[in-house]
């Protein structure tokens, strides 16, 4: 186990759910770190230096090594600070956790973001997709019958799923859609309460609901003309890339 | 270390590069397995049962547990059969391997596939993107100065990159594009030779060049009307989802 001695740094952006999950992981491990805010809409040369490939946050810096990609960072944190593991130790449970984390990132986030950034028929399709993907999550939570995906303790999948607890509800308001239907997703609803009540999540920085609302209202206005497509071909492309 | 005793099964499709990388991983570990071919264009109920979420191959079955997603499967194989590791043991190198594997899957495969399934201006853009992504791979290979991404031995990233060695060259012919320019990518060219000459890759099943050519010529005809879009909005969607 490595002593946390200030050599850990996170470069992030205040509203990014990808950044929050990394900060939660470090907090759960009890690792102190320096947090540096980067304006992703007016990127500094620092970010291109730290993450030349994608130019995105979060970036974790440890012993001078910059490491991008939240999923990769969380696995790294679990590999370096091995106490209080975030991933299960059993290989098959470990693999399943990786599977669901990927599913959340690739399917749930993509479809819910498309629901936020579209309108009309496109939006209806995105909402339908998002609900079907969340059915899988609901099914898993019910099947496992634990408080969290990680069992009694918060784990890797819970951190990746975090945005469902505090960002998705606001996206719904911004885009006037209903995805998180309580009667359809009772286990996700219970998970949300437990997640937000967890001592680490509760005390770690999270943006206020009103800040989330006004940020994504603005983003929706900007991105709507780009993402919503009423054209036949546009829809086909959309469906192909979501498949 | 687990004895390989026939309880391992791979459900796959003959031309899938995602399936080949899993078979290579098992072969590199010396794990015997049963291979079952699944016609992904006429899926049997077996596949929906094994992989209800995505309905895709490969699926690894071990001790009766079905596990989908090639990247997840390879990490699982490395977790269960710990000899001859496919991922580096050092946490930062391990994280970097995961980063590049993800980059290959998300950026290199997506952009080269779009180059295959498009024409005209769309195709030019896809080729340009693919070449820029491959620049990053070239840079890494040159920087590391090893035979393989994994060092002297084939590792995780090499397996994920495998399609560059035997499928991408054929895609180029099918779509009449030039992505793998030898003078621009000398390290990738050297890697390709070393990869295909590796005793495990050489002796493991790979489809013949002509089979790859005719399969993807047919696929290109089928998918061209869906993926190529000359509309303004279609292109925007395309660029947004690729970003």
């Amino acid at each position: 186990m490595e002593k946390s001695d200030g050599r850990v740094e996170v470069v992030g952006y205040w509203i990014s759910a990808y950044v929050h999950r990394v900060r939660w992981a470090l907090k759960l491990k009890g690792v102190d770190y320096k947090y540096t805010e980067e304006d992703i809409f007016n990127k500094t040369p620092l970010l291109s230096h730290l993450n030349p490939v994608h130019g995105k946050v979060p970036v974790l810096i440890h012993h001078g090594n910059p490491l991008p990609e939240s999923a990769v960072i969380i696995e790294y944190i679990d590999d370096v600070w091995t106490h209080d593991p975030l991933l299960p130790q059993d290989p098959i449970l470990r693999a399943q956790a990786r599977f669901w984390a990927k599913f959340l990132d690739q399917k749930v986030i993509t479809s819910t973001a498309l629901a936020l950034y579209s309108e009309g028929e496109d939006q209806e399709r995105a909402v339908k997709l998002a609900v079907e993907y969340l059915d899988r999550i609901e099914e898993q939570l019910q099947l496992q019958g634990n408080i969290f995906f990680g069992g009694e303790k918060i784990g890797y999948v819970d951190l990746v799923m975090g945005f469902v607890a505090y960002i998705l509800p606001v996206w719904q308001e911004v885009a006037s859609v209903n995805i998180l239907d309580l009667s359809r997703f009772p286990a996700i609803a219970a998970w949300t309460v437990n997640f937000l009540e967890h001592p680490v999540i509760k005390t770690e920085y999270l943006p206020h609901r009103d800040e989330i609302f006004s940020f994504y209202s603005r983003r929706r206005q900007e991105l709507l003309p780009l993402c919503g497509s009423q054209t036949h071909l546009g829809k086909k492309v959309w469906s192909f890339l979501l498949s």
Side-chain angles (χ1 to χ4, degrees), chain A residues 87-88 99 106 120 156 190 204 220:
Chain A
L87 277 96
F99 176 85
Q106 292 185 346
Y156 179 44
E204 183 59 62
R220 180 168 148 87

Side-chain angles (χ1 to χ4, degrees), chain A residues 173-188:
Chain A
E173 288 181 60
V174 170
S176 307
V177 291
N178 183 20
I179 295 173
L180 286 171
D181 186 331
L182 261 178
S183 61
R184 186 168 182 145
F185 301 120
I188 294 177

Side-chain angles (χ1 to χ4, degrees), chain A residues 123-136:
Chain A
Q123 192 179 45
E124 278 169 38
R125 274 189 49 239
V127 169
K128 194 170 168 289
L129 262 175
V131 168
E132 283 167 12
Y133 291 142
L134 284 168
D135 279 342
R136 298 297 185 172

Side-chain angles (χ1 to χ4, degrees), chain A residues 114 117-125 223-239:
Chain A
L114 282 169
Y117 297 132
S118 60
E119 54 192 347
E121 269 179 48
D122 284 346
Q123 192 179 45
E124 278 169 38
R125 274 189 49 239
L223 291 179
L224 215 44
L226 307 187
C227 304
S229 159
Q230 296 307 317
T231 69
H232 182 68
L233 277 174
K235 283 181 193 172
K236 292 267 191 185
V237 172
W238 211 58
S239 116

Side-chain angles (χ1 to χ4, degrees), chain A residues 2-242:
Chain A
E2 168 135 355
K3 206 178 153 285
S4 49
D5 58 5
R7 286 170 305 177
V8 181
E9 185 175 345
V10 174
V11 179
Y13 184 67
W14 65 282
I15 207 168
S16 163
Y18 301 99
V19 173
H20 298 153
R21 56 171 82 152
V22 166
R23 300 181 72 174
W24 292 328
L26 289 168
K27 186 89 177 255
L28 283 164
K29 294 282 188 180
V31 176
D32 289 332
Y33 63 93
K34 182 187 160 200
Y35 175 75
T36 304
E37 177 78 6
E38 168 80 20
D39 181 358
I40 53 172
F41 297 98
N42 293 292
K43 289 176 187 172
T44 63
L46 173 74
L47 192 59
S48 323
H49 170 69
L50 292 175
N51 184 359
V53 176
H54 301 299
K56 289 183 180 168
V57 293
V59 177
L60 180 88
I61 309 169
H62 188 212
H63 296 309
N65 294 309
L67 190 65
E69 292 271 347
S70 67
V72 173
I73 294 172
I74 295 178
E75 292 237 22
Y76 175 78
I77 291 171
D78 217 27
D79 282 345
V80 171
W81 295 277
T82 50
H83 60 93
D84 300 307
L86 299 168
L87 277 96
Q89 300 303 292
D90 175 71
I92 190 72
L93 296 179
R94 209 173 163 78
Q96 285 163 355
R98 288 184 177 125
F99 176 85
W100 288 112
K102 208 169 169 180
F103 179 79
L104 282 158
D105 264 352
Q106 292 185 346
K107 302 292 182 180
V108 180
I109 293 193
T110 311
S111 58
T112 51
L114 282 169
L116 171 66
Y117 297 132
S118 60
E119 54 192 347
E121 269 179 48
D122 284 346
Q123 192 179 45
E124 278 169 38
R125 274 189 49 239
V127 169
K128 194 170 168 289
L129 262 175
V131 168
E132 283 167 12
Y133 291 142
L134 284 168
D135 279 342
R136 298 297 185 172
I137 299 294
E138 176 71 20
E139 205 174 273
Q140 276 304 305
L141 279 171
Q142 291 196 10
L143 204 72
Q144 297 180 14
N146 291 317
I147 300 184
F148 295 116
F149 246 103
E152 293 304 305
K153 286 185 172 186
I154 276 190
Y156 179 44
V157 183
D158 301 292
L159 300 186
V160 171
M161 186 163 153
F163 83 102
V164 170
Y166 67 105
I167 289 190
L168 185 51
V170 187
W171 281 4
Q172 293 191 122
E173 288 181 60
V174 170
S176 307
V177 291
N178 183 20
I179 295 173
L180 286 171
D181 186 331
L182 261 178
S183 61
R184 186 168 182 145
F185 301 120
I188 294 177
W191 171 90
T192 298
V193 174
N194 290 323
F195 185 80
L196 294 176
E197 281 302 310
H198 187 281
V200 162
I201 308 301
K202 213 173 170 174
T203 54
E204 183 59 62
Y205 167 76
L206 266 194
H208 189 273
R209 181 239 161 241
D210 296 349
E211 295 172 307
I212 302 176
F213 187 88
S214 66
F215 179 85
Y216 283 111
S217 297
R218 224 168 36 241
R219 286 298 279 162
R220 180 168 148 87
Q221 292 314 314
E222 286 162 19
L223 291 179
L224 215 44
L226 307 187
C227 304
S229 159
Q230 296 307 317
T231 69
H232 182 68
L233 277 174
K235 283 181 193 172
K236 292 267 191 185
V237 172
W238 211 58
S239 116
F240 173 74
L241 289 173
L242 254 180

